[in-house]
Amino acid sequence: MVKSHVEAQVKIPVYHDPWAKREAWRKHPIFSKSSNFKTMFPGLGIATVAFAAYCTYEHFFLKKSNHQH
């Protein structure tokens, strides 16, 4: 079977295994280990910056009292 140059350039995956098409989602980049690690703690970066800003504010701007219990 001879393909035209247009047909040869089309990047359609060829599945010889009948179940390969149904299992292809497992190789999608969204399910990679690095993607899962990046999204393991959503909001951790924002929370860290907010906490650091609060600690800086507390250290420099809040009035310290010598009142001890």
Side-chain angles (χ1 to χ4, degrees), residues 5-49:
H5 70 282
V6 176
E7 292 178 56
Q9 290 178 351
V10 176
K11 303 240 185 213
I12 299 174
V14 178
Y15 298 107
H16 299 290
D17 181 13
W19 291 102
K21 187 175 182 180
R22 292 168 182 85
E23 297 292 322
W25 66 270
R26 295 178 190 262
K27 294 180 178 65
H28 194 275
I30 199 169
F31 296 110
S32 68
K33 289 188 185 283
S34 63
S35 175
N36 288 337
F37 183 73
K38 289 177 188 175
T39 59
M40 189 181 303
F41 300 109
L44 180 64
I46 294 171
T48 304
V49 170

